[in-house]
Amino acid sequence: MNTVPNPSSSDEWLRPTKPLRLALGVLLGPPVAGLTVGLILVMTAVGDVVAQSQNKALTVIQMGGFAAFYGALVGWPVMLTLGLGSHAVLLRRTSANLLWYVGAGAVSGIVAGLVRAGRAVLYLQEAALLNVAIGIVTGVIAAAIFWIIRRPDKDAVLFKNAA
């Protein structure tokens, strides 16, 4: 049973209508994004490591597990701060379609990449730019996964411009 908040109450729109879907989106978005980017890196940049390995399947599984763990470690703080804040704004002020969420994920990824890169960004070092690029890709993937699980577009009409 879906309970619909009363849009006339100023704080009521913050109460999640689908808390399980919200929690699953937050929990699964960052690790799956990290796993996806990690597997892309395994297939491209670190393919030589896998090719030289005795047990290629185990190496890919280990690298994928590390990528998912790292995605969660870095991604959950970003999702809990920037992601849920963006979700609240997008749910109330936009149609909450996928494009809005992907854009917010890209911006969040840029911020996270800049934070991870630190001062190296000032000198335009290659590693810093790679951090920002990976941040953008993982932010977009995590936002899309969150949107697919949560489906905020179905609730946006209820909350749009609620005062």
Side-chain angles (χ1 to χ4, degrees):
M1 182 172 142
N2 256 350
T3 58
V4 177
N6 180 4
S8 62
S9 173
S10 62
D11 291 336
E12 194 69 19
W13 66 275
L14 285 171
R15 187 172 53 96
T17 57
K18 300 172 186 164
L20 180 61
R21 292 180 78 124
L22 180 72
L24 282 173
V26 169
L27 288 175
L28 294 177
V32 172
L35 175 64
T36 305
V37 170
L39 291 177
I40 291 169
L41 289 174
V42 164
M43 291 185 286
T44 57
V46 294
D48 294 338
V49 174
V50 175
Q52 294 172 2
S53 173
Q54 295 289 347
N55 191 344
K56 292 172 184 38
L58 183 60
T59 303
V60 170
I61 291 171
Q62 288 171 333
M63 288 184 167
F66 176 76
F69 174 75
Y70 188 72
L73 185 70
V74 173
W76 280 332
V78 175
M79 176 69 87
L80 291 173
T81 55
L82 300 175
L84 287 179
S86 298
H87 169 63
V89 170
L90 291 173
L91 187 63
R92 184 167 179 170
R93 297 290 177 197
T94 69
S95 60
N97 65 22
L98 180 60
L99 190 59
W100 284 105
Y101 277 75
V102 166
V107 170
S108 298
I110 290 170
V111 171
L114 291 172
V115 168
R116 277 194 312 271
R119 289 191 347 216
V121 171
L122 299 175
Y123 306 108
L124 295 177
Q125 292 178 351
E126 194 173 307
L129 299 176
L130 184 63
N131 268 326
V132 173
I134 289 174
I136 293 169
V137 172
T138 54
V140 165
I141 294 170
I145 291 168
F146 176 84
W147 187 89
I148 289 167
I149 293 172
R150 173 57 178 82
R151 288 307 306 262
D153 57 328
K154 303 222 185 257
D155 295 334
V157 175
L158 299 172
F159 302 118
K160 192 170 182 184
N161 297 322

